[in-house]
Amino acid sequence: MGSNFVDYVKICCRSGKGGAGSAHLHRDKFTSKGGPDGGDGGRGGHIFLKGNAQLWTLLHLKYRKHVIANDGQPGGSALKFGANGKDEMLEVPLGTVARDAETDELLFDITEDGEVKVLTAGGRGGLGNWHFKSPTQQTPRYAQPGEPGKEQWIILELKVLADVGLVGFPNAGKSTLLSVVSAAKPEIADYPFTTLVPNLGIVSYRDNKSFVMADIPGIIEGASEGKGLGHRFLRHIERNSVLLFMVPADTDRTIAEEYHILLDELIAFNPELKDKPRILAITKADMLDDELEAEMKAGVPAEIPHVFISSVSGKNIQSLKDMVWRAINT
């Protein structure tokens, strides 16, 4: 599964060049000087991106390094217009961002199923000579050439779209929670960085409602500087509506310290993340008795809603769902 998840590709896109306009003058056995009748050239092929909700990875584009659209055809006599070049349509998962590889300019992103945007535009076809006739220029013997196509290197990045993203250090219990509240089957083990790709799950809620939860691979201190898995998965957190911070009850730090380390890493990567709604879940609470839980509550940051949960015993799982649902719909 891990090798099939591709969230970054770099491809060379070359659109088609436009066809040349025709400079033909009409002649037949009954007409010796019929005037200009050269048709327009066809447009060069575009390269499009189209959102497809059934895709979740860019794997199908990983080995397609060059995408080339066809050229437009030249115009002909008798006002025959050249055919447009065949377009290329690249289907991508929702949340895909397109960037210019040379300038790093953000071109656009795809967020809706069926959404189509032009990635690389084809050259316009040239005008035939019939466009240039006038009372003083009745037989123009020239026409426009077609515009050249465009060649550019494009970076496509996938940022997972979800209602709530799970944020925590390795072995905080993110994958276990996702496996309990949804039908997702992420790998679960007792060693760090068990999750190497984002996992999505649909969480059932009351009255046949649901929301999407994303398990983001574990962050470590210094991830915003490239440590651990670095920036590779931090970008997936940008597209989540609500951030669910997960701190295990058996952490070596205090709950407040671990929460603020996680929050500082996100803000260092993208300052806008501090404005997203946040919830704090203290996991593995089945190891705590009432007295110890009350003692730990005193160290929970006051500025964030929190809940003690256990994915193993099911403790407060429904309360967590309620908190997430309210945060999503606030």
Side-chain angles (χ1 to χ4, degrees):
M1 287 292 290
S3 62
N4 289 338
F5 183 81
V6 176
D7 58 359
Y8 179 99
V9 295
K10 183 177 180 181
I11 57 177
C12 180
C13 295
R14 189 173 76 199
S15 60
K17 64 181 181 182
S22 171
H24 188 267
L25 298 175
H26 179 64
R27 296 288 186 272
D28 61 39
K29 67 178 182 178
F30 301 111
T31 308
S32 59
K33 296 181 179 180
D37 68 346
D40 300 346
R43 169 185 60 78
H46 293 326
I47 298 175
F48 294 98
L49 285 191
K50 181 179 180 180
N52 186 339
Q54 303 302 314
L55 297 176
W56 69 286
T57 174
L58 297 171
L59 177 65
H60 59 295
L61 298 176
K62 181 177 180 180
Y63 301 107
R64 190 177 179 184
K65 289 301 183 185
H66 294 84
V67 180
I68 302 174
N70 290 347
D71 297 335
Q73 298 300 306
S77 60
L79 297 181
K80 294 176 183 174
F81 290 6
N84 291 337
K86 183 181 178 182
D87 299 324
E88 287 288 333
M89 184 75 70
L90 304 179
E91 295 194 345
V92 294
L94 307 188
T96 299
V97 176
R99 295 182 180 275
D100 187 303
E102 295 184 4
T103 64
D104 202 37
E105 175 191 359
L106 174 63
L107 302 178
F108 55 80
D109 53 359
I110 300 291
T111 57
E112 297 180 7
D113 188 31
E115 180 181 6
V116 177
K117 291 190 176 180
V118 177
L119 182 61
T120 308
R124 291 183 298 180
L127 299 179
N129 64 344
W130 71 278
H131 285 278
F132 306 109
K133 62 183 179 182
S134 68
T136 57
Q137 181 83 349
Q138 296 183 2
T139 56
R141 288 174 167 79
Y142 55 85
Q144 283 185 336
E147 289 185 351
K150 185 177 182 182
E151 182 172 327
Q152 58 183 154
W153 281 92
I154 298 291
I155 291 174
L156 299 179
E157 287 181 324
L158 174 60
K159 298 182 180 182
V160 169
L161 289 172
D163 296 308
V164 56
L166 305 183
V167 181
F169 287 108
N171 282 14
K174 302 186 297 298
S175 298
T176 305
L177 175 63
L178 184 65
S179 68
V180 168
V181 300
S182 75
K185 303 298 180 186
E187 183 180 353
I188 300 172
D190 59 355
Y191 53 84
F193 297 111
T194 310
T195 303
L196 294 178
V197 301
N199 291 299
L200 293 179
I202 298 177
V203 181
S204 298
Y205 189 61
R206 307 175 193 270
D207 302 323
N208 295 321
K209 298 174 182 175
S210 63
F211 55 87
V212 179
M213 179 178 285
D215 172 19
I216 309 298
I219 301 171
I220 66 169
E221 190 171 1
S224 61
E225 301 170 359
K227 295 181 181 178
L229 296 176
H231 292 173
R232 183 178 175 191
F233 296 115
L234 278 174
R235 65 172 174 268
H236 292 295
I237 298 174
E238 295 178 315
R239 293 299 182 85
N240 300 324
S241 302
V242 176
L243 301 180
L244 176 56
F245 288 78
M246 301 185 66
V247 176
D250 59 353
T251 176
D252 295 334
R253 307 180 181 92
T254 67
I255 294 175
E257 286 175 346
E258 188 150 329
Y259 163 69
H260 285 297
I261 290 173
L262 290 168
L263 182 59
D264 289 345
E265 288 300 326
L266 298 190
I267 294 175
F269 174 70
N270 183 349
E272 295 180 4
L273 291 175
K274 68 180 179 182
D275 299 324
K276 286 186 178 291
R278 301 191 292 272
I279 299 171
L280 175 60
I282 296 88
T283 64
K284 307 179 183 178
D286 54 305
M287 301 187 301
L288 308 176
D289 55 27
D290 293 341
E291 182 180 348
L292 186 55
E293 183 175 319
E295 182 180 332
M296 295 186 70
K297 279 185 179 179
V300 176
E303 73 272 13
I304 181 172
H306 69 276
V307 61
F308 284 77
I309 67 169
S310 170
S311 300
V312 175
S313 67
K315 177 180 179 178
N316 289 333
I317 294 298
Q318 187 58 50
S319 299
L320 176 62
K321 289 184 181 181
D322 293 336
M323 293 175 69
V324 170
W325 184 260
R326 287 194 298 270
I328 293 172
N329 293 279
T330 300

